Amino acid sequence: MTMDSIISRKEVHDQLEKIKTADILVGIPSYNNARTIGHVVRAVQAGIAKYFPERKAVLVDSDGGSSDGTIEIVQKTTLEDFQSILFHHRIEPVFKMAIPYHGVPGKGSAFRTLFEIADALNVKACAVVDSDLRSITPEWIELLLKPVLEEGFDYVAPLYQRHKYDGTITNSIIYPLTRALYGKRVRQPIGGDFGFSGRLAKFYLTKDVWKTDVARYGIDIWMTTTAVANNFKVAQSFLGAKIHDPKDPGADLSEMLYQVVGAAFDLMETYPDSWKAARGSEPVTTFGFQYTVGLEHVKVNVERMVTIFREGIKGLREIWIDVLGAGDFGQIEELGSLPDLKFRFPLSLWTRVVYDYALAYHTKKLPRGHLLKSLTPLYLGKTASFVMETENMRQDEAEDEIEKLCAEFESIKEHLINGWK
Amino acid sequence: MQNFFSLILEPLKGVYAEFADFFPNLLAMFIIIFLGIVAARIVRAVVLKLLKAVNFDSWSDRMGFTTIMRKGDLWAKPSAAVGSFLFWLLIIVVFMAGFGALKIRAIDDLVSQCVLYLPRVLSAVLIVVVGYIVTGFIGRAILIFMVNRGYHFAKLLVEAVRLLLIVLFVAMALEQLQVAPRIVVSAFSIIFGGIVLALAIAFGVGGIEAAKKVIEKETVEKKDEKNDDIEHI
């Protein structure tokens, strides 16, 4: 137990002393989610009551200092309201803890608190779910925990039905890249809701990453990659639609890219032997009954994205030539001169862009922040191209396009391996 | 007749005596300079080997120093540049020590003035180098930020910022060198103030339309951003 461990705090220690051990831990990282967290807590409690009536369970809200009464809502929300829908009478109680976490503000620090509590209570399985979810049902808890408790999996990633334009960083960078690197087809490596074993939680705690970007947006990709690269048994569960509160209008895209892509590139430095050895990719076991969900329409401002891409060609010319080389920059320039209707980002070019950025990151060609943020206009160009290409496609057809991109990432992986010195 | 010879020989004797007194100093100067050059060469060779052993060139590549040198039109390897810098610094010191050995008052004064001035030169060089790095870093950060926001005049504005910063650092270096400090400070104030005033006039009077467009664009972009429902993660 380190000095900054949550367990060292008296009020937490006392609560843990009372609980002693548990089978299941469900964690909810939160920050000013008073509007939605009540629903999430109810769904989690119902899920535990319905699917794990004989397991001793703990629900932990790891809070980032909410000022809107999030913690009070977690403490007040009870199971009595929906006792009628349960088939079994619960044998074991559900303990509830709402703790303000310490450290760098962010989801990663909230998760660290959950790992520490899981470790202290010696739990068998954990699940974490976002606190702004509107589409969570009790079944999510079953789908995230059962593969761990009954099938021996260590890590369960989510599989959602999402709108074809949602999750574009996942679809155009993180999924193709992690799949090509580590050879596992985990479709939502940064989904946000996960299940994992107590053994894996202990393993996460052995890593000293809590002052890096992992403590913020980078936690999701870090958890998935750490599990895959260290040969933990990985699966995914179909959870249906992921609908959550409207996005934070203040969230900066460049900052998101910086943290998520930076975390993925950092992990390449940590596990070079693992990703260099992997060839091709294989599917992972998928749990849950897959069905089609009606999804809300997503408005996209393609014109703005293409404008920023073109501004990038003019303004970031020297940086892009340095990172991509004159040849690929020439292709980018040609792309910028096309009329909007003909604007299509070739898959091979985009793949080389991502790999060249990974190589530039590895050789520290530019300061980390400058390098990753200079990717934003290229990413917006790729996103605009994807939106236009798939405008008249069905969801499954758009998924085929992502599959093609993944194949491209796998086929030119040698480019990355050869350039990695 | 003898007086006549002594009239010729006495000055020559005097010159010889002075030369005999001065010769060891001259010899000492040549020996100091010779040994100093040899020592400087040895130091350069040792430093080069040491830098090679610790992979200084690769480290400089990673830290961006090589890029900075290339931008400054310096094409030598970073390790060679450090070696040369040390070599020439030692040569300057050696020559000053050598000239000091001559024990000529005027040269001694000159040498001591040079020695006293050397720290100012070094700190001025340091200001220029640090200024160059800081200007590059800040300029690039602003450029990336503005491009990512879709500003049309990003590059132009960044060049203006770079110019302002360069003027600031050069003025600081000149002030450090004590090159007509009053004129430097006044010139800096005039140039800096002039640039800011020119920008204010250009933007406020001549560029009302351009300013309007930029502000309108920013407002429209903020609105557009809100109209965008896309979830990137």
Side-chain angles (χ1 to χ4, degrees):
Chain A
M1 186 168 62
T2 56
M3 283 300 284
D4 57 347
S5 166
I6 197 88
I7 315 297
S8 62
R9 277 157 56 188
K10 191 178 178 304
E11 71 278 15
V12 178
H13 188 77
D14 291 349
Q15 287 186 68
L16 293 176
E17 278 291 299
K18 231 184 274 172
I19 303 169
K20 287 198 168 59
T21 59
D23 298 317
I24 293 169
L25 179 146
V26 180
I28 310 172
S30 67
Y31 179 64
N32 286 340
N33 301 108
R35 279 195 303 172
T36 50
I37 202 161
H39 168 68
V40 177
V41 171
R42 274 194 295 277
V44 169
Q45 287 180 313
I48 294 170
K50 192 172 173 184
Y51 296 104
F52 306 101
E54 287 163 18
R55 302 271 191 180
K56 190 172 172 183
V58 187
L59 190 157
V60 184
D61 167 35
S62 181
D63 189 76
S66 301
S67 54
D68 65 345
T70 299
I71 288 188
E72 291 74 22
I73 289 173
V74 172
Q75 280 159 345
K76 269 194 280 178
T77 307
T78 57
L79 199 63
E80 278 84 55
D81 310 343
F82 46 92
Q83 198 68 43
S84 56
I85 66 161
L86 303 175
F87 296 115
H88 305 280
H89 285 290
R90 206 169 152 70
I91 296 161
E92 290 284 350
V94 177
F95 294 93
K96 220 189 289 173
M97 295 171 78
I99 307 165
Y101 64 77
H102 284 181
V104 179
K107 192 177 173 184
S109 296
F111 274 39
R112 183 193 184 186
T113 295
L114 299 173
F115 299 151
E116 285 179 344
I117 293 172
D119 181 37
L121 295 174
N122 215 9
V123 300
K124 293 187 180 74
C126 310
V128 281
V129 288
D130 281 342
S131 50
D132 62 347
L133 288 167
R134 292 192 177 278
S135 58
I136 185 172
T137 63
E139 284 63 42
W140 283 35
I141 302 305
E142 182 206 11
L143 286 160
L144 292 174
L145 290 174
K146 267 209 174 142
V148 178
L149 287 168
E150 292 174 14
E151 307 288 338
F153 284 93
D154 284 299
Y155 188 74
V156 185
L159 182 61
Y160 311 109
Q161 180 98 52
R162 299 184 80 174
H163 190 279
K164 59 188 176 186
Y165 300 154
D166 265 346
T168 37
I169 292 181
T170 305
N171 295 344
S172 58
I173 305 177
I174 300 299
Y175 172 50
L177 181 67
T178 49
R179 171 174 153 172
L181 287 177
Y182 304 101
K184 299 275 185 214
R185 294 180 199 164
V186 179
R187 182 62 185 86
Q188 296 288 342
I190 52 173
D193 311 295
F194 305 104
F196 48 93
S197 64
R199 188 169 81 101
L200 185 54
K202 283 181 202 292
F203 184 77
Y204 286 146
L205 279 177
T206 63
K207 305 287 172 191
D208 182 22
V209 291
W210 309 109
K211 288 188 175 73
T212 66
D213 284 331
V214 167
R216 298 189 283 170
Y217 282 114
I219 183 72
D220 300 331
I221 184 65
W222 180 79
M223 283 173 67
T224 305
T225 307
T226 305
V228 171
N230 289 288
N231 298 316
F232 283 93
K233 227 175 140 192
V234 174
Q236 55 188 1
S237 282
F238 182 74
L239 304 177
K242 180 174 183 168
I243 301 164
H244 50 94
D245 242 14
K247 64 178 176 177
D248 172 11
D252 179 38
L253 170 64
S254 297
E255 192 57 33
M256 266 189 247
L257 262 181
Y258 167 61
Q259 290 182 31
V260 175
V261 179
F265 288 170
D266 277 337
L267 287 157
M268 289 172 71
E269 305 285 342
T270 313
Y271 300 111
D273 297 337
S274 172
W275 66 259
K276 279 183 191 169
R279 290 287 180 281
S281 66
E282 57 181 27
V284 295
T285 309
T286 303
F287 294 92
F289 180 73
Q290 297 201 36
Y291 52 93
T292 311
V293 185
L295 296 163
E296 285 176 46
H297 175 70
V298 172
K299 280 183 280 176
V300 186
N301 190 341
V302 173
E303 198 188 329
R304 182 174 160 269
M305 291 180 178
V306 177
T307 303
I308 294 177
F309 173 75
R310 291 195 178 118
E311 288 302 324
I313 295 174
K314 276 192 282 171
L316 305 179
R317 184 188 172 83
E318 285 81 12
I319 295 176
W320 286 0
I321 289 176
D322 199 21
V323 174
L324 309 174
D328 279 350
F329 178 74
Q331 284 194 44
I332 299 273
E333 253 184 335
E334 274 174 38
L335 194 59
S337 63
L338 293 175
D340 285 8
L341 285 174
K342 287 188 177 171
F343 185 85
R344 297 288 181 274
F345 211 122
L347 298 183
S348 57
L349 179 61
W350 174 246
T351 307
R352 286 198 303 277
V353 164
V354 175
Y355 282 164
D356 285 339
Y357 262 81
L359 291 171
Y361 189 88
H362 173 59
T363 53
K364 297 188 172 70
K365 234 175 200 166
L366 283 176
R368 179 188 154 92
H370 291 182
L371 180 75
L372 293 171
K373 286 179 182 174
S374 72
L375 179 63
T376 309
L378 289 163
Y379 160 75
L380 286 174
K382 165 66 189 154
T383 305
S385 165
F386 179 78
V387 170
M388 288 190 274
E389 277 166 61
T390 59
E391 196 179 1
N392 299 316
M393 286 186 188
R394 293 192 314 268
Q395 200 72 30
D396 56 326
E397 289 170 331
E399 193 61 30
D400 289 343
E401 290 302 307
I402 296 167
E403 192 59 30
K404 282 182 204 163
L405 179 63
C406 292
E408 192 63 35
F409 266 76
E410 286 173 23
S411 76
I412 62 165
K413 189 178 167 183
E414 287 300 319
H415 173 79
L416 181 68
I417 295 173
N418 295 336
W420 193 272
K421 304 277 182 241
Chain B
M1 196 64 188
Q2 204 168 353
N3 281 345
F4 177 72
F5 279 119
S6 59
L7 271 174
I8 294 169
L9 283 174
E10 278 311 313
L12 285 175
K13 272 183 188 170
V15 169
Y16 173 77
E18 274 181 26
F19 181 74
D21 281 348
F22 181 67
F23 182 73
N25 296 353
L26 193 69
L27 195 65
M29 181 193 83
F30 282 122
I31 289 171
I32 288 171
I33 289 175
F34 175 75
L35 289 179
I37 291 172
V38 172
R41 279 174 179 271
I42 292 170
V43 168
R44 180 169 62 182
V46 170
V47 166
L48 278 177
K49 285 219 162 184
L50 204 73
L51 292 177
K52 204 175 172 187
V54 296
N55 283 326
F56 180 76
D57 289 334
S58 312
W59 180 80
S60 301
D61 290 349
R62 287 199 306 274
M63 297 307 288
F65 293 134
T66 315
T67 315
I68 292 167
M69 286 172 61
R70 302 290 175 264
K71 278 185 183 168
D73 214 19
L74 289 170
W75 295 93
K77 279 185 186 173
S79 56
V82 171
S84 295
F85 177 76
L86 270 179
F87 175 78
W88 287 108
L89 195 70
L90 285 173
I91 291 294
I92 291 169
V93 173
V94 161
F95 268 84
M96 285 195 301
F99 290 138
L102 291 176
K103 290 191 175 146
I104 298 169
R105 199 186 172 118
I107 291 177
D108 277 355
D109 288 348
L110 200 69
V111 166
S112 58
Q113 272 178 22
C114 282
V115 169
L116 287 174
Y117 197 62
L118 207 59
R120 286 191 175 278
V121 174
L122 286 176
S123 53
V125 168
L126 199 69
I127 287 170
V128 169
V129 171
V130 170
Y132 188 85
I133 295 170
V134 169
T135 302
F137 188 88
I138 293 176
R140 196 166 47 214
I142 297 173
L143 180 66
I144 293 168
F145 174 81
M146 295 192 78
V147 165
N148 288 349
R149 294 263 155 179
Y151 287 101
H152 287 304
F153 307 108
K155 211 157 186 187
L156 200 68
L157 195 90
V158 167
E159 287 308 324
V161 171
R162 277 193 184 133
L163 183 69
L164 282 175
L165 287 171
I166 287 169
V167 167
L168 175 74
F169 283 110
V170 168
M172 281 166 71
L174 288 175
E175 209 272 332
Q176 190 62 31
L177 290 171
Q178 292 285 293
V179 178
R182 279 190 205 163
I183 295 172
V184 166
V185 172
S186 311
F188 170 72
S189 309
I190 292 165
I191 293 173
F192 205 83
I195 291 172
V196 172
L197 189 69
L199 283 173
I201 292 171
F203 215 64
V205 181
I208 286 176
E209 277 307 305
K212 205 172 149 191
K213 272 184 198 164
V214 169
I215 292 162
E216 274 173 4
K217 189 173 173 293
E218 169 74 349
T219 320
V220 169
E221 289 221 325
K222 278 203 174 135
K223 219 169 124 192
D224 282 352
E225 222 169 308
K226 278 181 190 161
N227 284 336
D228 217 334
D229 285 343
I230 201 161
E231 289 282 348
H232 293 281
I233 287 186

Short mmCIF file of all heavy atoms in Angstrom, two decimals, chain A residues 198-225:
data_model
loop_
_atom_site.label_atom_id
_atom_site.label_comp_id
_atom_site.label_asym_id
_atom_site.label_seq_id
_atom_site.Cartn_x
_atom_site.Cartn_y
_atom_site.Cartn_z
N GLY A 198 -10.34 -10.19 -10.83
CA GLY A 198 -9.60 -9.62 -9.70
C GLY A 198 -8.10 -9.74 -9.93
O GLY A 198 -7.32 -8.86 -9.57
N ARG A 199 -7.72 -10.85 -10.60
CA ARG A 199 -6.30 -11.09 -10.92
C ARG A 199 -5.76 -9.97 -11.82
O ARG A 199 -4.67 -9.46 -11.60
CB ARG A 199 -6.24 -12.44 -11.66
CG ARG A 199 -4.86 -12.98 -11.93
CD ARG A 199 -4.98 -14.41 -12.42
NE ARG A 199 -5.31 -14.48 -13.85
CZ ARG A 199 -4.43 -14.72 -14.82
NH1 ARG A 199 -3.16 -14.88 -14.51
NH2 ARG A 199 -4.81 -14.80 -16.07
N LEU A 200 -6.57 -9.59 -12.82
CA LEU A 200 -6.12 -8.53 -13.74
C LEU A 200 -6.08 -7.17 -13.02
O LEU A 200 -5.18 -6.36 -13.26
CB LEU A 200 -7.04 -8.48 -14.97
CG LEU A 200 -6.66 -7.50 -16.08
CD1 LEU A 200 -5.23 -7.72 -16.56
CD2 LEU A 200 -7.61 -7.63 -17.27
N ALA A 201 -7.04 -6.94 -12.12
CA ALA A 201 -7.04 -5.67 -11.35
C ALA A 201 -5.75 -5.55 -10.56
O ALA A 201 -5.12 -4.48 -10.51
CB ALA A 201 -8.25 -5.61 -10.43
N LYS A 202 -5.34 -6.67 -9.95
CA LYS A 202 -4.06 -6.67 -9.20
C LYS A 202 -2.89 -6.38 -10.14
O LYS A 202 -1.97 -5.65 -9.79
CB LYS A 202 -3.85 -8.03 -8.52
CG LYS A 202 -4.68 -8.26 -7.28
CD LYS A 202 -4.36 -9.64 -6.69
CE LYS A 202 -5.47 -10.17 -5.81
NZ LYS A 202 -5.69 -9.46 -4.57
N PHE A 203 -2.95 -6.97 -11.34
CA PHE A 203 -1.87 -6.76 -12.31
C PHE A 203 -1.80 -5.29 -12.74
O PHE A 203 -0.72 -4.71 -12.84
CB PHE A 203 -2.10 -7.66 -13.53
CG PHE A 203 -0.99 -7.60 -14.54
CD1 PHE A 203 0.21 -8.27 -14.33
CD2 PHE A 203 -1.12 -6.85 -15.71
CE1 PHE A 203 1.25 -8.21 -15.25
CE2 PHE A 203 -0.09 -6.78 -16.64
CZ PHE A 203 1.10 -7.46 -16.40
N TYR A 204 -2.96 -4.67 -12.97
CA TYR A 204 -2.99 -3.25 -13.34
C TYR A 204 -2.30 -2.40 -12.28
O TYR A 204 -1.61 -1.43 -12.58
CB TYR A 204 -4.43 -2.76 -13.51
CG TYR A 204 -5.13 -3.23 -14.77
CD1 TYR A 204 -6.50 -3.50 -14.76
CD2 TYR A 204 -4.45 -3.37 -15.97
CE1 TYR A 204 -7.16 -3.91 -15.90
CE2 TYR A 204 -5.11 -3.78 -17.12
CZ TYR A 204 -6.47 -4.05 -17.07
OH TYR A 204 -7.11 -4.45 -18.21
N LEU A 205 -2.53 -2.79 -11.02
CA LEU A 205 -1.96 -1.99 -9.92
C LEU A 205 -0.44 -2.06 -9.85
O LEU A 205 0.19 -1.19 -9.26
CB LEU A 205 -2.54 -2.45 -8.58
CG LEU A 205 -3.92 -1.90 -8.23
CD1 LEU A 205 -4.39 -2.50 -6.91
CD2 LEU A 205 -3.91 -0.38 -8.12
N THR A 206 0.13 -3.09 -10.47
CA THR A 206 1.60 -3.20 -10.43
C THR A 206 2.27 -2.21 -11.39
O THR A 206 3.47 -2.03 -11.35
CB THR A 206 2.07 -4.62 -10.83
OG1 THR A 206 1.67 -4.88 -12.18
CG2 THR A 206 1.51 -5.68 -9.90
N LYS A 207 1.47 -1.60 -12.27
CA LYS A 207 2.03 -0.68 -13.27
C LYS A 207 2.05 0.76 -12.74
O LYS A 207 1.05 1.22 -12.18
CB LYS A 207 1.21 -0.73 -14.57
CG LYS A 207 1.05 -2.12 -15.13
CD LYS A 207 2.34 -2.59 -15.75
CE LYS A 207 2.27 -4.05 -16.13
NZ LYS A 207 3.57 -4.61 -16.49
N ASP A 208 3.15 1.44 -12.98
CA ASP A 208 3.29 2.81 -12.49
C ASP A 208 2.96 3.80 -13.62
O ASP A 208 3.83 4.31 -14.30
CB ASP A 208 4.73 3.01 -12.00
CG ASP A 208 4.94 4.40 -11.42
OD1 ASP A 208 3.94 5.03 -11.03
OD2 ASP A 208 6.10 4.86 -11.39
N VAL A 209 1.68 4.02 -13.83
CA VAL A 209 1.26 4.87 -14.96
C VAL A 209 0.32 5.98 -14.51
O VAL A 209 -0.25 6.69 -15.35
CB VAL A 209 0.54 4.03 -16.04
CG1 VAL A 209 1.50 3.10 -16.74
CG2 VAL A 209 -0.62 3.25 -15.44
N TRP A 210 0.15 6.13 -13.21
CA TRP A 210 -0.96 6.96 -12.72
C TRP A 210 -0.69 8.46 -12.75
O TRP A 210 -1.54 9.25 -12.36
CB TRP A 210 -1.38 6.49 -11.32
CG TRP A 210 -1.59 5.02 -11.34
CD1 TRP A 210 -0.81 4.06 -10.77
CD2 TRP A 210 -2.62 4.32 -12.05
NE1 TRP A 210 -1.29 2.81 -11.08
CE2 TRP A 210 -2.41 2.95 -11.86
CE3 TRP A 210 -3.71 4.72 -12.84
CZ2 TRP A 210 -3.23 1.97 -12.41
CZ3 TRP A 210 -4.53 3.75 -13.39
CH2 TRP A 210 -4.28 2.40 -13.17
N LYS A 211 0.48 8.84 -13.22
CA LYS A 211 0.73 10.28 -13.39
C LYS A 211 0.85 10.62 -14.87
O LYS A 211 1.19 11.73 -15.25
CB LYS A 211 1.99 10.69 -12.63
CG LYS A 211 1.77 10.69 -11.12
CD LYS A 211 2.93 11.28 -10.36
CE LYS A 211 2.63 11.37 -8.89
NZ LYS A 211 2.65 10.07 -8.21
N THR A 212 0.57 9.64 -15.74
CA THR A 212 0.65 9.88 -17.19
C THR A 212 -0.77 10.11 -17.73
O THR A 212 -1.73 10.18 -16.96
CB THR A 212 1.27 8.66 -17.90
OG1 THR A 212 0.36 7.56 -17.75
CG2 THR A 212 2.60 8.28 -17.29
N ASP A 213 -0.89 10.13 -19.08
CA ASP A 213 -2.21 10.31 -19.68
C ASP A 213 -3.15 9.14 -19.44
O ASP A 213 -4.35 9.23 -19.68
CB ASP A 213 -2.09 10.57 -21.18
CG ASP A 213 -1.62 11.99 -21.45
OD1 ASP A 213 -1.94 12.87 -20.62
OD2 ASP A 213 -0.94 12.21 -22.46
N VAL A 214 -2.59 8.03 -18.98
CA VAL A 214 -3.42 6.88 -18.61
C VAL A 214 -4.41 7.31 -17.52
O VAL A 214 -5.54 6.83 -17.46
CB VAL A 214 -2.53 5.71 -18.13
CG1 VAL A 214 -3.35 4.63 -17.44
CG2 VAL A 214 -1.76 5.13 -19.30
N ALA A 215 -3.98 8.24 -16.66
CA ALA A 215 -4.85 8.70 -15.58
C ALA A 215 -6.04 9.51 -16.11
O ALA A 215 -6.97 9.79 -15.38
CB ALA A 215 -4.06 9.55 -14.59
N ARG A 216 -6.03 9.84 -17.41
CA ARG A 216 -7.13 10.63 -17.98
C ARG A 216 -7.83 9.81 -19.06
O ARG A 216 -8.24 8.70 -18.81
CB ARG A 216 -6.58 11.96 -18.48
CG ARG A 216 -5.98 12.76 -17.31
CD ARG A 216 -5.61 14.15 -17.68
NE ARG A 216 -4.38 14.20 -18.44
CZ ARG A 216 -3.93 15.28 -19.05
NH1 ARG A 216 -4.62 16.38 -18.98
NH2 ARG A 216 -2.80 15.28 -19.70
N TYR A 217 -7.95 10.36 -20.30
CA TYR A 217 -8.66 9.63 -21.35
C TYR A 217 -7.97 8.31 -21.75
O TYR A 217 -8.56 7.46 -22.37
CB TYR A 217 -8.74 10.47 -22.63
CG TYR A 217 -9.77 11.56 -22.66
CD1 TYR A 217 -9.40 12.90 -22.69
CD2 TYR A 217 -11.12 11.25 -22.68
CE1 TYR A 217 -10.34 13.91 -22.73
CE2 TYR A 217 -12.07 12.26 -22.72
CZ TYR A 217 -11.67 13.59 -22.76
OH TYR A 217 -12.60 14.59 -22.81
N GLY A 218 -6.67 8.20 -21.43
CA GLY A 218 -5.90 7.06 -21.93
C GLY A 218 -6.17 5.73 -21.23
O GLY A 218 -5.68 4.70 -21.65
N ILE A 219 -6.98 5.74 -20.16
CA ILE A 219 -7.16 4.52 -19.35
C ILE A 219 -7.76 3.36 -20.15
O ILE A 219 -7.36 2.21 -19.99
CB ILE A 219 -8.01 4.81 -18.08
CG1 ILE A 219 -8.15 3.57 -17.19
CG2 ILE A 219 -9.38 5.35 -18.42
CD1 ILE A 219 -6.91 3.17 -16.46
N ASP A 220 -8.74 3.64 -21.02
CA ASP A 220 -9.44 2.55 -21.72
C ASP A 220 -8.50 1.76 -22.62
O ASP A 220 -8.45 0.53 -22.56
CB ASP A 220 -10.61 3.12 -22.54
CG ASP A 220 -11.62 3.85 -21.68
OD1 ASP A 220 -11.74 3.48 -20.50
OD2 ASP A 220 -12.26 4.80 -22.16
N ILE A 221 -7.74 2.48 -23.45
CA ILE A 221 -6.83 1.79 -24.37
C ILE A 221 -5.72 1.10 -23.57
O ILE A 221 -5.28 0.00 -23.93
CB ILE A 221 -6.25 2.78 -25.43
CG1 ILE A 221 -5.36 2.04 -26.45
CG2 ILE A 221 -5.45 3.89 -24.80
CD1 ILE A 221 -6.09 1.07 -27.31
N TRP A 222 -5.34 1.69 -22.46
CA TRP A 222 -4.29 1.09 -21.63
C TRP A 222 -4.77 -0.24 -21.04
O TRP A 222 -4.04 -1.23 -21.05
CB TRP A 222 -3.91 2.06 -20.51
CG TRP A 222 -2.85 1.53 -19.61
CD1 TRP A 222 -1.51 1.50 -19.83
CD2 TRP A 222 -3.04 0.93 -18.32
NE1 TRP A 222 -0.86 0.92 -18.77
CE2 TRP A 222 -1.77 0.56 -17.83
CE3 TRP A 222 -4.17 0.66 -17.53
CZ2 TRP A 222 -1.60 -0.06 -16.59
CZ3 TRP A 222 -3.99 0.05 -16.30
CH2 TRP A 222 -2.72 -0.29 -15.84
N MET A 223 -6.01 -0.26 -20.53
CA MET A 223 -6.54 -1.50 -19.93
C MET A 223 -6.62 -2.61 -20.98
O MET A 223 -6.20 -3.74 -20.74
CB MET A 223 -7.93 -1.25 -19.33
CG MET A 223 -7.88 -0.53 -18.00
SD MET A 223 -9.52 -0.06 -17.42
CE MET A 223 -10.27 -1.65 -17.09
N THR A 224 -7.17 -2.26 -22.15
CA THR A 224 -7.34 -3.28 -23.19
C THR A 224 -5.99 -3.80 -23.65
O THR A 224 -5.77 -5.01 -23.72
CB THR A 224 -8.12 -2.68 -24.39
OG1 THR A 224 -9.34 -2.14 -23.89
CG2 THR A 224 -8.42 -3.73 -25.43
N THR A 225 -5.08 -2.88 -23.97
CA THR A 225 -3.79 -3.30 -24.51
C THR A 225 -2.98 -4.07 -23.48
O THR A 225 -2.34 -5.08 -23.82
CB THR A 225 -2.98 -2.06 -24.99
OG1 THR A 225 -3.81 -1.31 -25.87
CG2 THR A 225 -1.73 -2.47 -25.71
#
